[in-house]
Amino acid sequence: MPQNRLTRLFQEKSGNLLNIYFTAGYPKLEDTVTILEELEAAGADLVEIGMPFSDPLADGPTIQASNQVALENGMSIKMLLSQLAQVRERVSFPIILMGYLNPVMQYGFERFCEEAARVGVDGLILPDLPFAEYEEEYKPVLEKHGLSLIFLITPQTSEARIRQIDGLTNSFIYMVSSASTTGSQVQASDAQQAYYAKVRSLGLKNPVLIGFGISDKPSFELACQSAHGAIIGSAFIKALQKPAEVRENVRSFLKTLR
Amino acid sequence: MEYRVNDRGYYGQFGGAFIPEMLYPNVEELRDKYLGILQEPDFQEELQELLRDYVGRPTPLYHAKRLSEKYNTKIYLKREDLNHTGAHKINNTVGQILLAKRLGKTRIIAETGAGQHGVATATVCALAGLECIVYMGKIDTERQRPNVEKMRLLGATVVPVTSGSQTLKDATNEAIRDWINHPEDTHYIIGSVVGPHPYPDMVARFQAVISEEIRKQLLEKEGRELPDYVVACVGGGSNAAGAFYHFLDDPSVKLVAVEAAGLGVDSGHSAATSMLGKTGIIHGSKTLLMQTEDGQITEPYSISAGLDYPGVGPQHAHLAQTGRARFIAITDADAMEALRELSRLEGIIPAIESSHALAALKEINAGPDEVVVLNLSGRGDKDLSTILTYFEQQDASK
């Protein structure tokens, strides 16, 4: 596997990594590259772009609604990849595409990987892709195009399975903070701290970023004490709903974090 | 050819468990335990007793003489409409509630479209004394008011779902999200042969009592276990899965699956998934699925709220692809005509879902010496207001 921007990032920076999620085509169809530019300028270390889907099973109301608006705006995989065609002239931080499997399947997985890699995408999150299918069908294609696949773990994921995931991936592990869909209000608890400590004690080869329920500076900083960084999604989507211009919304939200 | 699930959770190329990691432990637990629990003698004993004394099984296999005369063949109706709560749905919920108890679950969730599965779930939760939360699209709560009231009377909480298109597929999404948020104490009773493995197989096994009884009853009445045809309607496909189950390996039995064509297969207002769908992933299962070119799931249409699911169970996708079952699509108009016909010929008011199967009788052209078993999956009481409105509008437009 050739070294990509993700592996380089984790070599250069080992903590306080800020990963921001946003839905492609939201709030406006043409906002994608603008948001990317502002995020990098304002100090995000990497970004996760959601490819909207009609039925986002793992997402709470905020991201569901952004998916729906993005689809109504006309967003599609084809549209997103065309928007990203020149993105590497504008930003240099790692870009991950997150999406449910069905739209990717319909686009054609090989074609999708080839085109995503060509525009400069570094990794994928496909939350509903099972291991067995990944290993048999999808892994060779991802490797051929130099894309990393990022897996999720939750408080219910067994140690054996966490180790299996650690062996399958080569970028980072997405640690879901609690049993929930995205955007839930997660109270820091002893159980959660114990889960974070357990994962830390496993000595995994990959860095770990915590996501779900991370919404502001205190929750971001708390997560960073237990992992290499954290992912903010729903709270950023909410920030994009503010009346100001999109660049201003990105800047002022990031200012509250950094 | 193997028509049942393989050890990887697939039916041919369909099936599997395409679920996010958050659901993995729940589904894994079920996958590892369901067959063992189903085989336990005390589980079977409790299940058989409930099916007999509570559900009212075996349901009759009724020789419909006037209907037979009309179609010049021998037609038997499998009377699932006579079950407690009025449809086959309870065969599955009784089984799953006993399973949930053995898994130590204290909280039950379910999705429902028309409300039949919701009522069947609320019923068994009352029986078992377990908390019950039913997700139902907001639009469906409005068009199926009496079932909402029934569920509440039975002690269930009905949650109107306002996400997406506010119908069955969104209710299912919301139930899955609930399960993600309650990974330890909750069992999700899916109402059809859909969802991630092992649900399609588990639900089919609970519904298989239908074909098990048909074989015995037909032997008594006809001196043979095998009919020439088994006809059943398919939305997600649970009643058909149960009616086909014990005939899958008998090639002389022609299996007929009847989908809802809505206003016509090519009208843009249809639910004929086997004809309009492409392979995709819905609710954790790889199956035939109605979707846009971009892979967004589309909203199907049928006058029957129990048949308008954009996917179909993975086993049915496999039966369609291999040709083991013949798939026929029936329009709203033909189904409603068949509903009135059965009401007047036999004094039985069928559910609109089951009326689609009845309307297929004229398509299959069974011979005078052939035996047709038609699974009458539910009764029409729940549909009364839809039926009246439909015929009033039809009369007005004449």
Side-chain angles (χ1 to χ4, degrees), chain A residues 31-44:
Chain A
D31 286 337
T32 314
V33 177
T34 312
I35 292 174
L36 288 172
E37 286 177 347
E38 288 303 321
L39 281 174
E40 183 166 67

Side-chain angles (χ1 to χ4, degrees), chain A residues 20-23 26 58-64 66 174 181-185 212-215 231-241 253:
Chain A
I20 296 286
Y21 165 94
F22 71 97
T23 307
Y26 182 87
D59 287 300
T62 303
I63 293 181
Q64 282 172 42
S66 71
Y174 190 131
T181 42
T182 56
S184 304
Q185 282 305 311
F212 286 44
I214 313 298
S215 59
I231 305 150
I232 298 181
S234 297
F236 181 66
I237 298 288
K238 282 185 189 150
L240 292 176
Q241 294 162 356
F253 182 74

Side-chain angles (χ1 to χ4, degrees), chain B residues 6-65:
Chain B
N6 68 21
D7 54 9
R8 296 182 57 231
Y10 278 81
Y11 304 83
Q13 64 169 97
F14 301 109
F18 292 80
I19 47 169
E21 183 64 25
M22 291 77 97
L23 282 178
Y24 184 81
N26 310 31
V27 172
E28 182 190 39
E29 181 185 29
L30 208 55
R31 188 195 66 200
D32 290 348
K33 293 182 178 165
Y34 82 111
L35 288 177
I37 293 176
L38 259 62
Q39 282 157 10
E40 283 170 15
D42 70 319
F43 177 89
Q44 277 302 326
E45 199 178 311
E46 207 178 338
L47 178 63
Q48 297 311 327
E49 188 185 317
L50 280 175
L51 289 176
R52 186 185 65 232
D53 299 339
Y54 188 72
V55 175
R57 303 203 71 93
T59 57
L61 187 69
Y62 165 68
H63 178 203
K65 295 193 188 65

Side-chain angles (χ1 to χ4, degrees), chain B residues 142-197:
Chain B
E142 286 155 10
R143 10 178 222 211
Q144 307 288 338
R145 194 87 221 154
N147 273 341
V148 175
E149 296 307 333
K150 274 189 204 170
M151 288 185 267
R152 290 191 173 139
L153 185 61
L154 290 159
T157 304
V158 180
V159 182
V161 172
T162 55
S163 60
S165 50
Q166 308 189 10
T167 57
L168 176 59
K169 101 179 154 64
D170 307 283
T172 309
N173 291 340
E174 219 49 58
I176 291 174
R177 290 181 187 121
D178 179 304
W179 212 19
I180 288 174
N181 284 284
H182 299 89
E184 289 175 350
D185 60 349
T186 298
H187 176 67
Y188 176 21
I189 301 190
I190 293 186
S192 192
V193 285
V194 301
H197 175 67

Side-chain angles (χ1 to χ4, degrees), chain B residues 29-334:
Chain B
E29 181 185 29
L30 208 55
R31 188 195 66 200
D32 290 348
K33 293 182 178 165
Y34 82 111
L35 288 177
I37 293 176
L38 259 62
Q39 282 157 10
E40 283 170 15
D42 70 319
F43 177 89
Q44 277 302 326
E45 199 178 311
E46 207 178 338
L47 178 63
Q48 297 311 327
E49 188 185 317
L50 280 175
L51 289 176
R52 186 185 65 232
D53 299 339
Y54 188 72
V55 175
R57 303 203 71 93
T59 57
L61 187 69
Y62 165 68
H63 178 203
K65 295 193 188 65
R66 297 189 69 207
L67 191 68
S68 297
E69 203 173 300
K70 167 89 197 273
Y71 290 98
N72 194 27
T73 184
K74 194 161 196 182
I75 300 167
Y76 284 94
L77 301 177
K78 180 60 174 163
R79 299 291 308 273
E80 293 300 301
D81 61 316
L82 294 178
N83 283 323
H84 180 38
T85 70
H88 70 290
K89 290 287 184 191
I90 197 154
N91 300 331
N92 169 45
T93 61
V94 161
Q96 285 204 49
I97 202 78
L98 296 180
L99 184 92
K101 278 168 71 180
R102 277 162 178 78
L103 292 172
K105 306 292 181 180
T106 54
R107 185 173 172 275
I108 300 295
I109 55 172
E111 85 295 338
T112 196
Q116 287 307 103
H117 173 59
V119 169
T121 304
T123 297
V124 298
C125 286
L127 180 71
L130 295 180
E131 183 186 1
C132 179
I133 296 110
V134 179
Y135 290 91
M136 187 170 186
K138 186 161 181 292
I139 291 175
D140 289 332
T141 61
E142 286 155 10
R143 10 178 222 211
Q144 307 288 338
R145 194 87 221 154
N147 273 341
V148 175
E149 296 307 333
K150 274 189 204 170
M151 288 185 267
R152 290 191 173 139
L153 185 61
L154 290 159
T157 304
V158 180
V159 182
V161 172
T162 55
S163 60
S165 50
Q166 308 189 10
T167 57
L168 176 59
K169 101 179 154 64
D170 307 283
T172 309
N173 291 340
E174 219 49 58
I176 291 174
R177 290 181 187 121
D178 179 304
W179 212 19
I180 288 174
N181 284 284
H182 299 89
E184 289 175 350
D185 60 349
T186 298
H187 176 67
Y188 176 21
I189 301 190
I190 293 186
S192 192
V193 285
V194 301
H197 175 67
Y199 277 104
D201 183 53
M202 182 171 72
V203 176
R205 283 169 189 266
F206 287 134
Q207 294 294 356
V209 65
I210 299 172
S211 46
E212 191 187 319
E213 288 175 5
I214 292 172
R215 286 184 81 114
K216 282 185 207 151
Q217 292 166 322
L218 208 58
L219 184 63
E220 280 169 25
K221 292 176 193 292
E222 290 289 321
R224 56 164 163 149
E225 282 183 276
L226 302 181
D228 297 289
Y229 293 87
V230 178
V231 185
C233 64
V234 173
S238 68
N239 92 79
F244 294 169
Y245 196 89
H246 291 286
F247 298 112
L248 289 169
D249 302 321
D250 297 300
S252 72
V253 181
K254 298 180 198 71
L255 306 177
V256 181
V258 187
E259 293 182 310
L263 302 183
V265 172
D266 299 317
S267 68
H269 303 276
S270 178
T273 307
S274 77
M275 292 159 212
L276 298 169
K278 281 188 303 174
T279 301
I281 290 167
I282 181 168
H283 300 140
S285 180
K286 187 192 267 193
T287 188
L288 294 171
L289 166 62
M290 290 172 60
Q291 53 185 315
T292 66
E293 212 172 291
D294 292 333
Q296 308 297 339
I297 299 173
T298 52
E299 191 56 27
Y301 164 80
S302 162
I303 190 171
S304 149
L307 298 182
D308 60 354
Y309 183 67
V312 65
Q315 185 181 39
H316 292 302
H318 182 52
L319 295 178
Q321 201 184 50
T322 56
R324 175 66 188 94
R326 175 182 170 194
F327 279 67
I328 293 177
I330 292 293
T331 61
D332 288 359
D334 287 350

Side-chain angles (χ1 to χ4, degrees), chain B residues 309-389:
Chain B
Y309 183 67
V312 65
Q315 185 181 39
H316 292 302
H318 182 52
L319 295 178
Q321 201 184 50
T322 56
R324 175 66 188 94
R326 175 182 170 194
F327 279 67
I328 293 177
I330 292 293
T331 61
D332 288 359
D334 287 350
M336 296 308 282
E337 207 38 65
L339 183 148
R340 188 150 62 183
E341 182 180 83
L342 189 75
S343 303
R344 299 199 174 162
L345 283 179
E346 299 286 350
I348 299 170
I349 301 173
I352 300 177
E353 289 79 6
S354 323
S355 303
H356 285 73
L358 290 162
L361 286 170
K362 63 178 188 297
E363 307 279 331
I364 61 177
N365 271 320
D369 300 324
E370 292 190 302
V371 171
V372 178
V373 173
L374 187 145
N375 197 36
L376 200 70
S377 56
R379 65 178 90 128
D381 306 30
K382 68 179 175 66
D383 295 321
L384 210 55
S385 72
T386 309
I387 296 167
L388 295 178
T389 308

